Amino acid sequence: MSSAILHDAAVHGVEHHDAHHGEHHHTETFISKYVFSLDHKTISKQFLVTGIIWAIVGGLFSVIFRLQLGYPESTFPWLEDLLGHWAKGGKLQPEFYYALVTMHGTILVFFVLTAGLSGTFSNFLIPLQIGARDMASPLLNCMSYWFFFLASIIMAASLFVQTGPASGGWTIYPPLSALGDASSGSKIGMDLWLVSMAMFIVSSLLGGLNYITTVLNMRTKGMSMTRMPLTIWAFFFTAVLGVLSFPVLLSGAILLLFDRNLGTSFFLSDIVIAGKILPNEGGSAILFQHLFWFLGHPEVYIILLPAMGMSSEILSINSRKPIFGYMAMVGSMFAITVLAFLVWAHHMFVTGLNPFLGAVFVLLTLLIAIPSAIKVFNWLTTLWRANIRFTPAMMFAIGFVSLFISGGLTGIFLGNSSLDIHLHDTYFVIAHFHIVMGVASFFGMFAGVYHWFPKMFGRYLNNTLAYIHFWVTIVGAYCIFWPMHYEGFAGMPRRYYDYSNWESFKMFGGLNEFISFVSLIVFAAQLLFVMNFFYSIWKGRKVTTLNPWNANTLEWTTPIRPGHGNWPGEIPEVHRWAYDYAREGKNGEDFIPQDVPVGEEEEKH
């Protein structure tokens, strides 16, 4: 792609362009085409492949610590071969158990679900679906990935330092995380965690600013905001959330580095270690919780909104019906974006929060259920009496809706400050956020991969392996996390290394063993997906039609494998919204793409 075209696309993004006009052919090397690429499609694949590698690592960590929870009396000699002195005699050491839990949460929340969803699909779909040659700034886009890669390298390096990686939980609350002498996992591994997260946040900010600018300024002729697919709205609101909330966590991480290394006391006061009184005064560990959760709750929707947008798109396409309540869907996403900033303190009901403030946050927390319920109603209404095609992508999109409903309902319990006093820091919390945020978002991501893989690589994934992947994952996810609600009701605390010595929780020994066994099977199913993914890139069945799903959006008007610039000629002009399904097209089809002009007898959208 020539610099002249990129300049045209950036300056005149809303006009038509001829991709070959004034083109100067440059010889592209492997490095410039696949490594330091400026093409948004290649960068999205870089995010996706890096995210898959991290998902394997993070998932493996959960399998290892589930072995400890399910079989606390057993030893596994291969663990010592794998982990060395962290698993002496084949048994996980307590301090390394906490490191695994910390890294599992960090990796999956930030490096897989945040970067994997936004980094992959915002990058891939925004220019293709709004009719742009590329992102507003391809260079910033490239830098966004490489800051993410640098953050990945630093985080991976922390796994190999002598004292081990960070082990203060993925929320890294001080004073444990602020004092190097508190534990082995609070030493250099914690510094690496904080530096890595700073790099990650820079990556997210560069990407988010690019996504917002591209959506606002680069839409093709006729692509008004109300004609944008719901995917683009979701990516837009996600980027707004990230740009406004990630800097708050960055400030918390930097101040924590100051406390650790420069003798400041932002989060420390009145600390005694091994009988020694530390000089720190005036700080507040609760302040860090405010800073962390001011990002932490928007982070839930930074992960969920892209999954919501993609599932909406896939549900409509495979229901062969217009999405029900388009403007209500957009409005509910806007409401979620606003309310996400107003509910962070529901994570802090047991920190001594003023009861009146607690009541305010209960109200705001329950209010956010309203736009979520609107979305659920509209998804179910879209499915109602539809001519459903059960493609792998559709299965995962329906699975997303199921998980979002069942996981979201348990949030009503935790949003009530009175109930939360009993349920806080129990397995009920683990069950809730894994179902509604973790597994549901993974289902949205899988739906997106299965649906847009033909556009990414010009080939299809294997359907048989895809259906096996779906059924094992959804049944396994419910078998793993649903029983945890009952353990939480019984008061079983999270983050504990061994429950076998507690008379109160011995009765859950068999259930914990069952959960650990199922988690192993579900992890194996994800490896099946990884095998299917990489095999199909080179050996999958080739795509032979421009629009294999009979969809309406603009990405299916590009060549099967679009080059840098996306359209070889002029960018199509948009004449209608993205959901003209169940209407007869010019060739008798049941869909009308966005670039088809509106007939005289038709109603304009």
Short mmCIF file of all heavy atoms in Angstrom, two decimals, residues 66 399-414 423 426-437 439-440 473-490 492 508 511-512 514-516 518-519 522:
data_model
loop_
_atom_site.label_atom_id
_atom_site.label_comp_id
_atom_site.label_asym_id
_atom_site.label_seq_id
_atom_site.Cartn_x
_atom_site.Cartn_y
_atom_site.Cartn_z
N ARG A 66 -5.66 -26.00 40.05
CA ARG A 66 -6.85 -26.81 40.32
C ARG A 66 -6.45 -28.22 40.76
O ARG A 66 -7.17 -28.85 41.53
CB ARG A 66 -7.74 -26.91 39.09
CG ARG A 66 -8.74 -25.82 38.85
CD ARG A 66 -9.71 -25.47 39.91
NE ARG A 66 -10.22 -26.51 40.75
CZ ARG A 66 -11.05 -26.29 41.75
NH1 ARG A 66 -11.45 -25.06 42.03
NH2 ARG A 66 -11.49 -27.28 42.51
N GLY A 399 -24.48 -19.34 23.10
CA GLY A 399 -23.84 -19.69 24.37
C GLY A 399 -23.47 -18.45 25.16
O GLY A 399 -23.62 -18.42 26.39
N PHE A 400 -23.02 -17.41 24.47
CA PHE A 400 -22.72 -16.14 25.14
C PHE A 400 -23.95 -15.58 25.84
O PHE A 400 -23.89 -15.15 26.99
CB PHE A 400 -22.19 -15.12 24.13
CG PHE A 400 -22.13 -13.71 24.66
CD1 PHE A 400 -21.07 -13.30 25.45
CD2 PHE A 400 -23.15 -12.80 24.41
CE1 PHE A 400 -21.02 -12.00 25.97
CE2 PHE A 400 -23.12 -11.52 24.91
CZ PHE A 400 -22.04 -11.12 25.70
N VAL A 401 -25.09 -15.60 25.14
CA VAL A 401 -26.33 -15.08 25.73
C VAL A 401 -26.70 -15.89 26.97
O VAL A 401 -27.06 -15.34 28.02
CB VAL A 401 -27.48 -15.10 24.70
CG1 VAL A 401 -28.79 -14.68 25.34
CG2 VAL A 401 -27.14 -14.19 23.52
N SER A 402 -26.60 -17.21 26.88
CA SER A 402 -26.91 -18.08 28.02
C SER A 402 -26.03 -17.76 29.21
O SER A 402 -26.52 -17.60 30.34
CB SER A 402 -26.72 -19.55 27.61
OG SER A 402 -26.71 -20.40 28.73
N LEU A 403 -24.74 -17.65 28.99
CA LEU A 403 -23.80 -17.39 30.08
C LEU A 403 -23.99 -15.99 30.65
O LEU A 403 -23.88 -15.79 31.86
CB LEU A 403 -22.36 -17.57 29.57
CG LEU A 403 -21.96 -19.02 29.28
CD1 LEU A 403 -20.82 -19.06 28.26
CD2 LEU A 403 -21.56 -19.74 30.55
N PHE A 404 -24.28 -15.03 29.78
CA PHE A 404 -24.48 -13.66 30.26
C PHE A 404 -25.71 -13.57 31.16
O PHE A 404 -25.72 -12.86 32.17
CB PHE A 404 -24.63 -12.71 29.06
CG PHE A 404 -24.73 -11.26 29.44
CD1 PHE A 404 -23.62 -10.57 29.91
CD2 PHE A 404 -25.94 -10.59 29.35
CE1 PHE A 404 -23.72 -9.23 30.28
CE2 PHE A 404 -26.05 -9.25 29.70
CZ PHE A 404 -24.93 -8.58 30.17
N ILE A 405 -26.77 -14.31 30.80
CA ILE A 405 -27.98 -14.31 31.63
C ILE A 405 -27.70 -14.98 32.98
O ILE A 405 -27.95 -14.40 34.05
CB ILE A 405 -29.13 -15.04 30.91
CG1 ILE A 405 -29.57 -14.26 29.66
CG2 ILE A 405 -30.32 -15.24 31.85
CD1 ILE A 405 -30.54 -15.03 28.77
N SER A 406 -27.17 -16.20 32.95
CA SER A 406 -26.99 -16.96 34.20
C SER A 406 -25.94 -16.32 35.09
O SER A 406 -26.10 -16.26 36.31
CB SER A 406 -26.63 -18.42 33.89
OG SER A 406 -25.48 -18.50 33.09
N GLY A 407 -24.85 -15.82 34.50
CA GLY A 407 -23.83 -15.16 35.30
C GLY A 407 -24.27 -13.79 35.79
O GLY A 407 -23.94 -13.38 36.90
N GLY A 408 -25.05 -13.09 34.97
CA GLY A 408 -25.51 -11.76 35.36
C GLY A 408 -26.50 -11.79 36.51
O GLY A 408 -26.50 -10.90 37.37
N LEU A 409 -27.34 -12.81 36.55
CA LEU A 409 -28.33 -12.90 37.63
C LEU A 409 -27.67 -13.01 39.00
O LEU A 409 -28.16 -12.47 39.98
CB LEU A 409 -29.26 -14.10 37.40
CG LEU A 409 -30.28 -13.93 36.27
CD1 LEU A 409 -31.01 -15.25 36.01
CD2 LEU A 409 -31.29 -12.83 36.60
N THR A 410 -26.54 -13.72 39.08
CA THR A 410 -25.86 -13.85 40.37
C THR A 410 -25.21 -12.53 40.79
O THR A 410 -24.89 -12.35 41.97
CB THR A 410 -24.79 -14.96 40.32
OG1 THR A 410 -23.84 -14.66 39.29
CG2 THR A 410 -25.42 -16.31 40.04
N GLY A 411 -25.02 -11.62 39.84
CA GLY A 411 -24.49 -10.31 40.19
C GLY A 411 -25.44 -9.50 41.04
O GLY A 411 -25.02 -8.62 41.80
N ILE A 412 -26.74 -9.80 40.94
CA ILE A 412 -27.73 -9.09 41.76
C ILE A 412 -27.48 -9.39 43.24
O ILE A 412 -27.64 -8.52 44.10
CB ILE A 412 -29.15 -9.49 41.33
CG1 ILE A 412 -29.39 -9.03 39.88
CG2 ILE A 412 -30.19 -8.88 42.26
CD1 ILE A 412 -30.69 -9.54 39.29
N PHE A 413 -27.06 -10.61 43.54
CA PHE A 413 -26.73 -10.97 44.93
C PHE A 413 -25.56 -10.12 45.42
O PHE A 413 -25.61 -9.53 46.50
CB PHE A 413 -26.31 -12.46 45.01
CG PHE A 413 -27.43 -13.44 44.79
CD1 PHE A 413 -27.97 -13.64 43.53
CD2 PHE A 413 -27.93 -14.18 45.85
CE1 PHE A 413 -28.98 -14.55 43.32
CE2 PHE A 413 -28.95 -15.10 45.65
CZ PHE A 413 -29.47 -15.29 44.38
N LEU A 414 -24.50 -10.08 44.62
CA LEU A 414 -23.27 -9.39 45.06
C LEU A 414 -23.43 -7.88 45.04
O LEU A 414 -22.69 -7.17 45.73
CB LEU A 414 -22.11 -9.82 44.16
CG LEU A 414 -21.75 -11.30 44.23
CD1 LEU A 414 -20.73 -11.67 43.17
CD2 LEU A 414 -21.23 -11.67 45.61
N LEU A 423 -21.14 -12.99 51.24
CA LEU A 423 -20.62 -13.65 50.04
C LEU A 423 -19.26 -13.13 49.60
O LEU A 423 -18.58 -13.78 48.81
CB LEU A 423 -21.62 -13.48 48.89
CG LEU A 423 -22.98 -14.14 49.08
CD1 LEU A 423 -23.94 -13.74 47.97
CD2 LEU A 423 -22.85 -15.65 49.15
N THR A 426 -15.79 -15.18 48.77
CA THR A 426 -16.09 -16.61 48.78
C THR A 426 -16.08 -17.12 47.33
O THR A 426 -15.93 -16.34 46.39
CB THR A 426 -17.47 -16.91 49.39
OG1 THR A 426 -18.48 -16.38 48.51
CG2 THR A 426 -17.62 -16.27 50.76
N TYR A 427 -16.31 -18.41 47.19
CA TYR A 427 -16.35 -19.01 45.86
C TYR A 427 -17.53 -18.50 45.04
O TYR A 427 -17.55 -18.65 43.82
CB TYR A 427 -16.39 -20.54 45.97
CG TYR A 427 -15.01 -21.14 45.86
CD1 TYR A 427 -14.02 -20.84 46.79
CD2 TYR A 427 -14.69 -21.99 44.81
CE1 TYR A 427 -12.76 -21.37 46.68
CE2 TYR A 427 -13.42 -22.53 44.69
CZ TYR A 427 -12.46 -22.21 45.63
OH TYR A 427 -11.20 -22.74 45.50
N PHE A 428 -18.54 -17.90 45.69
CA PHE A 428 -19.66 -17.33 44.95
C PHE A 428 -19.18 -16.23 44.01
O PHE A 428 -19.64 -16.11 42.87
CB PHE A 428 -20.70 -16.77 45.93
CG PHE A 428 -22.02 -16.42 45.30
CD1 PHE A 428 -23.06 -17.34 45.28
CD2 PHE A 428 -22.22 -15.17 44.71
CE1 PHE A 428 -24.28 -17.01 44.69
CE2 PHE A 428 -23.44 -14.85 44.13
CZ PHE A 428 -24.47 -15.77 44.11
N VAL A 429 -18.23 -15.43 44.48
CA VAL A 429 -17.68 -14.34 43.66
C VAL A 429 -16.93 -14.93 42.46
O VAL A 429 -17.07 -14.45 41.33
CB VAL A 429 -16.75 -13.44 44.50
CG1 VAL A 429 -16.14 -12.35 43.63
CG2 VAL A 429 -17.49 -12.83 45.67
N ILE A 430 -16.14 -15.97 42.72
CA ILE A 430 -15.41 -16.62 41.62
C ILE A 430 -16.39 -17.14 40.57
O ILE A 430 -16.21 -16.94 39.36
CB ILE A 430 -14.56 -17.78 42.17
CG1 ILE A 430 -13.40 -17.23 43.02
CG2 ILE A 430 -14.01 -18.63 41.03
CD1 ILE A 430 -12.52 -18.30 43.59
N ALA A 431 -17.45 -17.81 41.03
CA ALA A 431 -18.44 -18.36 40.11
C ALA A 431 -19.08 -17.26 39.28
O ALA A 431 -19.21 -17.37 38.05
CB ALA A 431 -19.49 -19.13 40.90
N HIS A 432 -19.48 -16.17 39.94
CA HIS A 432 -20.16 -15.08 39.25
C HIS A 432 -19.29 -14.46 38.16
O HIS A 432 -19.67 -14.41 37.00
CB HIS A 432 -20.57 -13.99 40.25
CG HIS A 432 -20.87 -12.67 39.62
ND1 HIS A 432 -21.97 -12.47 38.81
CD2 HIS A 432 -20.20 -11.48 39.63
CE1 HIS A 432 -21.97 -11.22 38.37
NE2 HIS A 432 -20.91 -10.61 38.86
N PHE A 433 -18.07 -14.01 38.53
CA PHE A 433 -17.34 -13.24 37.52
C PHE A 433 -16.70 -14.13 36.46
O PHE A 433 -16.48 -13.70 35.33
CB PHE A 433 -16.34 -12.25 38.15
CG PHE A 433 -15.04 -12.83 38.64
CD1 PHE A 433 -14.04 -13.22 37.76
CD2 PHE A 433 -14.80 -12.94 40.01
CE1 PHE A 433 -12.84 -13.72 38.23
CE2 PHE A 433 -13.60 -13.45 40.47
CZ PHE A 433 -12.61 -13.84 39.58
N HIS A 434 -16.45 -15.41 36.78
CA HIS A 434 -15.94 -16.29 35.73
C HIS A 434 -17.02 -16.57 34.68
O HIS A 434 -16.72 -16.60 33.48
CB HIS A 434 -15.44 -17.61 36.33
CG HIS A 434 -14.01 -17.55 36.76
ND1 HIS A 434 -13.63 -17.10 38.00
CD2 HIS A 434 -12.86 -17.88 36.12
CE1 HIS A 434 -12.31 -17.16 38.11
NE2 HIS A 434 -11.81 -17.62 36.98
N ILE A 435 -18.26 -16.76 35.12
CA ILE A 435 -19.32 -17.04 34.15
C ILE A 435 -19.66 -15.80 33.33
O ILE A 435 -19.67 -15.83 32.11
CB ILE A 435 -20.58 -17.59 34.85
CG1 ILE A 435 -20.32 -19.01 35.37
CG2 ILE A 435 -21.77 -17.60 33.89
CD1 ILE A 435 -21.49 -19.61 36.12
N VAL A 436 -19.91 -14.66 34.01
CA VAL A 436 -20.44 -13.50 33.30
C VAL A 436 -19.37 -12.74 32.54
O VAL A 436 -19.63 -12.17 31.49
CB VAL A 436 -21.18 -12.56 34.27
CG1 VAL A 436 -20.23 -11.73 35.11
CG2 VAL A 436 -22.13 -11.64 33.51
N MET A 437 -18.15 -12.71 33.06
CA MET A 437 -17.09 -11.95 32.38
C MET A 437 -16.12 -12.87 31.66
O MET A 437 -15.82 -12.67 30.49
CB MET A 437 -16.32 -11.09 33.39
CG MET A 437 -15.32 -10.17 32.73
SD MET A 437 -14.38 -9.18 33.91
CE MET A 437 -13.09 -10.32 34.38
N VAL A 439 -15.95 -16.60 31.00
CA VAL A 439 -16.39 -17.59 30.01
C VAL A 439 -17.29 -16.95 28.96
O VAL A 439 -17.15 -17.22 27.76
CB VAL A 439 -17.12 -18.77 30.70
CG1 VAL A 439 -17.46 -19.84 29.68
CG2 VAL A 439 -16.26 -19.36 31.81
N ALA A 440 -18.20 -16.07 29.37
CA ALA A 440 -19.09 -15.42 28.40
C ALA A 440 -18.28 -14.64 27.36
O ALA A 440 -18.54 -14.72 26.16
CB ALA A 440 -20.07 -14.50 29.11
N THR A 473 -17.00 -27.19 25.88
CA THR A 473 -16.72 -25.96 26.62
C THR A 473 -17.93 -25.47 27.39
O THR A 473 -17.81 -25.10 28.57
CB THR A 473 -16.22 -24.86 25.65
OG1 THR A 473 -15.09 -25.34 24.93
CG2 THR A 473 -15.79 -23.62 26.42
N ILE A 474 -19.11 -25.46 26.78
CA ILE A 474 -20.27 -24.90 27.50
C ILE A 474 -20.72 -25.83 28.63
O ILE A 474 -21.01 -25.39 29.75
CB ILE A 474 -21.44 -24.54 26.56
CG1 ILE A 474 -22.46 -23.69 27.33
CG2 ILE A 474 -22.09 -25.79 25.96
CD1 ILE A 474 -23.44 -22.95 26.47
N VAL A 475 -20.75 -27.14 28.36
CA VAL A 475 -21.14 -28.07 29.42
C VAL A 475 -20.09 -28.05 30.53
O VAL A 475 -20.41 -28.00 31.73
CB VAL A 475 -21.31 -29.50 28.86
CG1 VAL A 475 -21.54 -30.50 29.99
CG2 VAL A 475 -22.47 -29.55 27.86
N GLY A 476 -18.81 -28.05 30.13
CA GLY A 476 -17.73 -28.03 31.11
C GLY A 476 -17.72 -26.76 31.94
O GLY A 476 -17.52 -26.80 33.16
N ALA A 477 -17.98 -25.61 31.29
CA ALA A 477 -17.96 -24.33 32.03
C ALA A 477 -19.03 -24.31 33.11
O ALA A 477 -18.78 -23.88 34.25
CB ALA A 477 -18.17 -23.17 31.06
N TYR A 478 -20.23 -24.79 32.78
CA TYR A 478 -21.28 -24.84 33.79
C TYR A 478 -20.96 -25.85 34.89
O TYR A 478 -21.26 -25.62 36.07
CB TYR A 478 -22.63 -25.15 33.14
CG TYR A 478 -23.33 -23.92 32.60
CD1 TYR A 478 -23.68 -23.80 31.26
CD2 TYR A 478 -23.67 -22.87 33.45
CE1 TYR A 478 -24.32 -22.67 30.76
CE2 TYR A 478 -24.32 -21.73 32.97
CZ TYR A 478 -24.64 -21.64 31.63
OH TYR A 478 -25.27 -20.51 31.15
N CYS A 479 -20.34 -26.98 34.52
CA CYS A 479 -19.97 -27.98 35.54
C CYS A 479 -18.88 -27.46 36.47
O CYS A 479 -18.81 -27.82 37.64
CB CYS A 479 -19.48 -29.27 34.86
SG CYS A 479 -20.80 -30.25 34.12
N ILE A 480 -18.01 -26.59 35.94
CA ILE A 480 -16.93 -26.04 36.78
C ILE A 480 -17.47 -24.95 37.71
O ILE A 480 -17.24 -24.98 38.92
CB ILE A 480 -15.80 -25.47 35.89
CG1 ILE A 480 -15.06 -26.59 35.16
CG2 ILE A 480 -14.82 -24.64 36.72
CD1 ILE A 480 -14.14 -26.10 34.06
N PHE A 481 -18.19 -23.99 37.15
CA PHE A 481 -18.48 -22.77 37.91
C PHE A 481 -19.83 -22.78 38.61
O PHE A 481 -19.99 -22.09 39.63
CB PHE A 481 -18.34 -21.54 37.02
CG PHE A 481 -16.94 -21.35 36.52
CD1 PHE A 481 -16.62 -21.50 35.18
CD2 PHE A 481 -15.91 -21.06 37.40
CE1 PHE A 481 -15.32 -21.34 34.73
CE2 PHE A 481 -14.61 -20.90 36.97
CZ PHE A 481 -14.31 -21.04 35.62
N TRP A 482 -20.82 -23.54 38.11
CA TRP A 482 -22.11 -23.50 38.79
C TRP A 482 -22.03 -24.07 40.21
O TRP A 482 -22.58 -23.47 41.15
CB TRP A 482 -23.18 -24.20 37.96
CG TRP A 482 -24.54 -23.70 38.32
CD1 TRP A 482 -25.50 -24.36 39.02
CD2 TRP A 482 -25.09 -22.41 38.04
NE1 TRP A 482 -26.61 -23.57 39.19
CE2 TRP A 482 -26.38 -22.36 38.60
CE3 TRP A 482 -24.60 -21.27 37.37
CZ2 TRP A 482 -27.19 -21.24 38.52
CZ3 TRP A 482 -25.40 -20.16 37.29
CH2 TRP A 482 -26.69 -20.14 37.86
N PRO A 483 -21.34 -25.21 40.42
CA PRO A 483 -21.24 -25.73 41.80
C PRO A 483 -20.55 -24.77 42.76
O PRO A 483 -20.78 -24.84 43.98
CB PRO A 483 -20.42 -27.02 41.64
CG PRO A 483 -20.57 -27.41 40.21
CD PRO A 483 -20.70 -26.12 39.46
N MET A 484 -19.70 -23.89 42.25
CA MET A 484 -18.99 -22.96 43.13
C MET A 484 -19.94 -21.99 43.85
O MET A 484 -19.63 -21.49 44.92
CB MET A 484 -17.94 -22.16 42.34
CG MET A 484 -16.76 -22.97 41.87
SD MET A 484 -15.54 -21.91 41.07
CE MET A 484 -14.37 -23.14 40.47
N HIS A 485 -21.12 -21.76 43.26
CA HIS A 485 -22.10 -20.91 43.94
C HIS A 485 -22.50 -21.52 45.28
O HIS A 485 -22.65 -20.82 46.29
CB HIS A 485 -23.35 -20.72 43.08
CG HIS A 485 -23.14 -19.89 41.85
ND1 HIS A 485 -22.93 -20.43 40.61
CD2 HIS A 485 -23.09 -18.54 41.68
CE1 HIS A 485 -22.79 -19.46 39.72
NE2 HIS A 485 -22.87 -18.30 40.34
N TYR A 486 -22.67 -22.84 45.30
CA TYR A 486 -23.12 -23.51 46.53
C TYR A 486 -22.00 -23.51 47.56
O TYR A 486 -22.25 -23.34 48.76
CB TYR A 486 -23.59 -24.93 46.20
CG TYR A 486 -24.69 -24.93 45.17
CD1 TYR A 486 -24.46 -25.35 43.86
CD2 TYR A 486 -25.96 -24.45 45.49
CE1 TYR A 486 -25.46 -25.32 42.91
CE2 TYR A 486 -26.98 -24.41 44.54
CZ TYR A 486 -26.71 -24.84 43.26
OH TYR A 486 -27.71 -24.79 42.31
N GLU A 487 -20.75 -23.67 47.10
CA GLU A 487 -19.62 -23.57 48.02
C GLU A 487 -19.56 -22.17 48.62
O GLU A 487 -19.27 -21.99 49.81
CB GLU A 487 -18.32 -23.90 47.28
CG GLU A 487 -18.24 -25.33 46.81
CD GLU A 487 -16.94 -25.64 46.06
OE1 GLU A 487 -16.39 -24.73 45.41
OE2 GLU A 487 -16.49 -26.80 46.13
N GLY A 488 -19.84 -21.16 47.78
CA GLY A 488 -19.83 -19.78 48.27
C GLY A 488 -20.92 -19.51 49.29
O GLY A 488 -20.70 -18.84 50.30
N PHE A 489 -22.13 -20.05 49.04
CA PHE A 489 -23.21 -19.90 50.01
C PHE A 489 -22.83 -20.51 51.36
O PHE A 489 -23.26 -20.03 52.42
CB PHE A 489 -24.49 -20.56 49.50
CG PHE A 489 -25.31 -19.68 48.60
CD1 PHE A 489 -25.81 -20.17 47.40
CD2 PHE A 489 -25.60 -18.37 48.95
CE1 PHE A 489 -26.57 -19.36 46.56
CE2 PHE A 489 -26.36 -17.56 48.13
CZ PHE A 489 -26.85 -18.05 46.92
N ALA A 490 -22.03 -21.58 51.32
CA ALA A 490 -21.59 -22.23 52.55
C ALA A 490 -20.44 -21.47 53.22
O ALA A 490 -19.98 -21.88 54.29
CB ALA A 490 -21.17 -23.66 52.26
N MET A 492 -17.36 -20.87 51.84
CA MET A 492 -16.02 -21.35 51.48
C MET A 492 -15.20 -20.21 50.88
O MET A 492 -15.56 -19.65 49.85
CB MET A 492 -16.14 -22.50 50.48
CG MET A 492 -14.85 -23.16 50.15
SD MET A 492 -15.18 -24.73 49.32
CE MET A 492 -13.64 -24.97 48.49
N PHE A 508 -16.85 -30.65 50.76
CA PHE A 508 -16.72 -30.26 49.36
C PHE A 508 -15.54 -30.92 48.65
O PHE A 508 -15.23 -30.59 47.51
CB PHE A 508 -16.59 -28.74 49.24
CG PHE A 508 -17.82 -27.99 49.64
CD1 PHE A 508 -17.80 -27.05 50.67
CD2 PHE A 508 -19.03 -28.22 49.00
CE1 PHE A 508 -18.94 -26.36 51.04
CE2 PHE A 508 -20.18 -27.54 49.36
CZ PHE A 508 -20.14 -26.61 50.39
N LEU A 511 -16.55 -32.61 45.44
CA LEU A 511 -16.97 -31.60 44.46
C LEU A 511 -15.74 -30.89 43.88
O LEU A 511 -15.67 -30.66 42.66
CB LEU A 511 -17.91 -30.59 45.12
CG LEU A 511 -18.58 -29.57 44.20
CD1 LEU A 511 -19.36 -30.25 43.09
CD2 LEU A 511 -19.48 -28.65 45.01
N ASN A 512 -14.77 -30.55 44.73
CA ASN A 512 -13.55 -29.90 44.23
C ASN A 512 -12.78 -30.82 43.29
O ASN A 512 -12.20 -30.37 42.29
CB ASN A 512 -12.66 -29.49 45.41
CG ASN A 512 -13.15 -28.23 46.10
OD1 ASN A 512 -13.80 -27.41 45.47
ND2 ASN A 512 -12.85 -28.09 47.38
N PHE A 514 -14.15 -33.11 41.38
CA PHE A 514 -14.93 -33.12 40.14
C PHE A 514 -14.63 -31.87 39.31
O PHE A 514 -14.40 -31.94 38.10
CB PHE A 514 -16.42 -33.18 40.49
CG PHE A 514 -17.33 -32.94 39.31
CD1 PHE A 514 -17.54 -33.93 38.35
CD2 PHE A 514 -17.99 -31.72 39.16
CE1 PHE A 514 -18.38 -33.70 37.27
CE2 PHE A 514 -18.83 -31.49 38.08
CZ PHE A 514 -19.03 -32.48 37.13
N ILE A 515 -14.61 -30.69 39.97
CA ILE A 515 -14.34 -29.43 39.27
C ILE A 515 -12.95 -29.48 38.62
O ILE A 515 -12.78 -29.06 37.47
CB ILE A 515 -14.46 -28.24 40.24
CG1 ILE A 515 -15.92 -28.02 40.65
CG2 ILE A 515 -13.91 -26.96 39.61
CD1 ILE A 515 -16.12 -27.02 41.77
N SER A 516 -11.97 -29.97 39.35
CA SER A 516 -10.61 -30.04 38.82
C SER A 516 -10.53 -30.98 37.62
O SER A 516 -9.85 -30.69 36.63
CB SER A 516 -9.63 -30.50 39.92
OG SER A 516 -9.57 -29.54 40.95
N VAL A 518 -12.99 -31.77 35.51
CA VAL A 518 -13.67 -31.15 34.36
C VAL A 518 -12.81 -30.04 33.77
O VAL A 518 -12.76 -29.86 32.55
CB VAL A 518 -15.06 -30.61 34.77
CG1 VAL A 518 -15.72 -29.87 33.61
CG2 VAL A 518 -15.96 -31.75 35.23
N SER A 519 -12.11 -29.28 34.64
CA SER A 519 -11.28 -28.18 34.13
C SER A 519 -10.17 -28.73 33.21
O SER A 519 -9.80 -28.09 32.22
CB SER A 519 -10.67 -27.38 35.27
OG SER A 519 -9.73 -28.14 35.99
N VAL A 522 -11.90 -29.42 29.85
CA VAL A 522 -12.20 -28.17 29.13
C VAL A 522 -10.92 -27.56 28.56
O VAL A 522 -10.91 -27.05 27.44
CB VAL A 522 -12.92 -27.17 30.07
CG1 VAL A 522 -13.03 -25.80 29.41
CG2 VAL A 522 -14.30 -27.69 30.44
#
